[in-house]
Amino acid sequence: MNRVLASTAIGVLTYMLVTPAFADLKPEDQIEFRQAGYSFMAWNMIKIKAICKVNSTKIRLPMLPM
């Protein structure tokens, strides 16, 4: 429970610190930054998809600690 609370607090603080930084950017820079983030996510998702296709019969999801 403490981990969840701590990670939530860190996420909220990060959001509060990063949001004003984006407000100072020009719209063109915001678009470029967002597109860079999307291309980075797509690059990683392609690798994850390839791993899942190759190991689709061997995938075992770990038990999550509660």
Side-chain angles (χ1 to χ4, degrees):
M1 184 66 176
N2 289 335
R3 282 186 187 176
V4 173
L5 186 58
S7 63
T8 303
I10 290 171
V12 169
L13 289 173
T14 303
Y15 177 76
M16 289 171 54
L17 293 173
V18 171
T19 303
F22 285 123
D24 295 338
L25 294 174
K26 296 179 190 174
E28 295 85 13
D29 293 336
Q30 290 178 353
I31 292 169
E32 184 178 337
F33 187 76
R34 190 176 305 119
Q35 287 176 343
Y38 287 144
S39 66
F40 178 75
M41 286 189 302
W43 181 72
N44 284 308
M45 294 298 169
I46 289 170
K47 290 184 172 211
I48 292 171
K49 182 180 176 183
I51 291 170
C52 289
K53 278 188 170 183
V54 170
N55 298 326
S56 63
T57 58
K58 301 177 185 176
I59 292 177
R60 297 280 185 254
L61 297 177
M63 294 294 294
L64 299 175
M66 296 210 174

